[in-house]
Amino acid sequence: MPPVRPPIDRLGADPGRRRVLGALLGAPLLAAGGLAGCTDGPAASTDEGPVELSVFWWGGTKRAELTEKALRLYSERNPRVTFRVTWQGADGYYDRLATQAAGGNVPDLIQLDDAVLTEYAHRQIVLDLSERVADHRLDLRGLPESLIRYGTVDGRTMAVAGGQTLAAVVFNRDLLRELRVPEPRGGMSWVDYIAWAEQVTEASDGRVAGTMDPSGDYRALWLWLRAQGGELYRGRQLGFGADELIGWFELWQRARSRRATPGAALVEQADSGEPARQLVVSGLTAASFAWSHQLPELQRLTESELGVIGFPGPPGSQWARASMYWAGFRGTRHPDTVIDVINFLTTNGEAGAVLGHERGLNASVPVRRYTEGSITDPAQQRAAAFNASIAEQLGPAPAPPPKGHAKVRTLLVAAAESIRSGRAGTRAATSRFIAQANAALAA
């Protein structure tokens, strides 16, 4: 029996259209009601005549299947609007987008992440959405304030979160049961987490290391800094100095000396962040660091049951992060339609039911409530439960990372790898990183 969902406001669709939508989604017909911030009405685009929008995103086949289904739903409501979709894996996505930008041929609607949002805004590649947010044609009133802020550059709304995620520790429950080691706890200190990882390594007689080494993981460094009142960035500059970074690197040097982490070669395999290379799914560690919305994909890669908790440190170090954004191309010929599609994908209850949590927890709180009970995948349920468990404890969002962030991330990985391999000492690697990172941010 399909789940009973609360009614949503401004249905606006005629009975025939509602029958079509109900059949398409396999959901019961809905009576009109009053769930503010969750829309289910016909589109309000002012474009005349047929419109074809090009849409480009990264992801796997499941994301493609669900996204295309949601776009078909939009076209059912707006028969004159059709979509030409392109998608690919994350590797090479931004190279392809950069080539398109150089030729002025960016797709109308694109998926971005925080590595490039500020840069694309400053280069005037993405459409300024602020005016439509002000008159609520792009309705962000149902989004958490931190999530809205994380799509704002220099006071302008430049993108809308396609989902919400949190930095997470993903761990192998079956392995821990076998080793009779307790599961890690959310909110434990970094020192306690490393001690837990050392316990895992000892219990397995060195067969499995306790944790992935995150010394080159910008998310881990950022949250570690925030727990101490710091930040990764202050405006267009690094928000920390050499002493803080040396302290971070030395923390993980001690962890390696205690065999809490695997060897450098294994860690480098996973430094890319690609789910298939995560050591928790390849069985080489009991825990890896990931985004919470990646739990279902990681779970598909292993037969062991995976659990999820927040990163070590206080939950208030985290904030409601956009897992990725929807943004429009500044040069699109159909800005009103692009904005209407973004609004549909992020605030419409039926679209939210189609998309599920594949891109993370739905950005809109009313849509989350509307779709509650429709998510049947156990891993998605665990990820949603984790997000809900600390939602009230999250801290304020910083500004999206500045231009040069993608380069800074790469430099941090290189610095950590040089220390792990012994090619450079901690102080030398730190000095080189800070000089190169400052240059990247100033470029």
Side-chain angles (χ1 to χ4, degrees), residues 109-421:
L109 181 60
I110 53 177
Q111 182 178 287
L112 300 176
D113 69 11
D114 64 7
V116 301
L117 177 61
T118 299
E119 177 181 356
Y120 277 44
H122 288 167
R123 291 173 57 192
Q124 299 188 347
I125 294 173
V126 292
L127 184 66
D128 186 347
L129 308 174
S130 304
E131 186 177 318
R132 292 297 179 260
V133 172
D135 64 16
H136 302 306
R137 289 179 64 178
L138 179 54
D139 193 352
L140 304 187
R141 288 172 292 181
L143 274 65
E145 183 60 36
S146 286
L147 211 55
I148 297 172
R149 173 172 166 76
Y150 210 55
T152 302
V153 179
D154 298 334
R156 299 174 297 152
T157 302
M158 304 306 297
V160 180
Q164 178 180 314
T165 195
L166 294 171
V169 175
V170 177
F171 60 91
N172 187 327
R173 277 195 162 129
D174 288 345
L175 174 64
L176 296 178
R177 292 185 189 116
E178 175 190 330
L179 297 176
R180 298 183 179 180
V181 174
E183 294 182 359
R185 305 181 316 278
M188 63 197 310
S189 70
W190 284 98
V191 170
D192 287 344
Y193 176 76
I194 290 171
W196 168 84
E198 182 183 3
Q199 184 181 357
V200 173
T201 306
E202 291 176 352
S204 70
D205 293 326
R207 175 172 55 89
V208 176
T211 182
M212 167 67 178
D213 179 337
S215 53
D217 188 328
Y218 83 98
R219 298 168 300 188
L221 173 60
W222 200 341
L223 296 186
W224 182 78
L225 289 167
R226 278 174 67 98
Q228 303 171 74
E231 284 288 355
L232 191 64
Y233 299 109
R234 301 285 185 189
R236 293 192 59 189
Q237 299 179 330
L238 292 175
F240 59 93
D243 289 344
E244 290 92 339
L245 187 57
I246 288 171
W248 172 250
F249 285 147
E250 288 182 343
L251 175 70
W252 291 100
Q253 281 185 305
R254 291 191 293 273
R256 287 189 292 275
S257 70
R258 293 161 55 180
R259 301 176 65 213
T261 68
L266 292 178
V267 174
E268 288 186 19
Q269 289 179 22
D271 264 341
S272 69
E274 284 293 324
R277 295 186 178 183
Q278 289 294 310
L279 301 184
V280 72
V281 299
S282 60
L284 297 172
T285 65
S288 286
F289 298 89
W291 295 113
S292 61
H293 74 276
Q294 293 178 312
L295 180 66
E297 185 175 4
L298 293 168
Q299 185 62 80
R300 288 193 288 269
L301 295 169
T302 178
E303 294 182 358
S304 298
E305 181 187 352
L306 301 179
V308 60
I309 59 169
F311 268 40
S317 300
Q318 297 239 32
W319 65 94
R321 293 196 193 211
S323 56
M324 55 205 74
Y325 304 97
W326 285 116
F329 173 41
R330 186 171 183 267
T332 180
R333 294 169 56 195
H334 309 287
D336 285 341
T337 304
V338 167
I339 289 170
D340 196 60
V341 173
I342 294 175
N343 195 62
F344 178 79
L345 292 174
T346 56
T347 70
N348 180 275
E350 298 294 354
V354 170
L355 294 169
H357 292 170
E358 207 285 331
R359 282 183 172 84
L361 200 64
N362 196 285
S364 166
V365 174
V367 174
R368 293 178 201 173
R369 294 177 185 144
Y370 173 73
T371 59
E372 190 174 5
S374 67
I375 306 301
T376 58
D377 178 81
Q380 286 195 14
Q381 291 174 341
R382 291 197 295 276
F386 159 63
N387 277 266
S389 70
I390 64 172
E392 300 301 320
Q393 305 174 60
L394 300 176
K403 178 183 176 183
H405 173 60
K407 179 64 174 178
V408 172
R409 287 170 54 173
T410 300
L411 290 170
L412 182 64
V413 171
E417 290 181 350
S418 70
I419 294 170
R420 285 194 297 257
S421 67

